[in-house]
Amino acid sequence: MKGNFVYHNPTKLYFGPDSLNGLKEELKKYGPNIMLNYPA
């Protein structure tokens, strides 16, 4: 690999049957518009 670079990937993963329970509070941090990406 040539050259200098910076890779930044902040990722938070939730696992388990109750993992969606905190979604509302988590999404408030990002403002009124978000894009969710999930496999079909």
Side-chain angles (χ1 to χ4, degrees):
M1 185 175 297
K2 294 182 178 182
N4 298 325
F5 69 95
V6 174
Y7 176 73
H8 180 74
N9 185 14
T11 303
K12 188 181 286 189
L13 302 174
Y14 292 84
F15 294 95
D18 298 328
S19 59
L20 292 179
N21 290 347
L23 187 60
K24 183 176 179 181
E25 290 300 315
E26 185 69 30
L27 294 179
K28 285 182 181 180
K29 300 175 188 177
Y30 301 101
N33 299 309
I34 61 160
M35 179 174 56
L36 295 176
N37 187 4
Y38 56 92

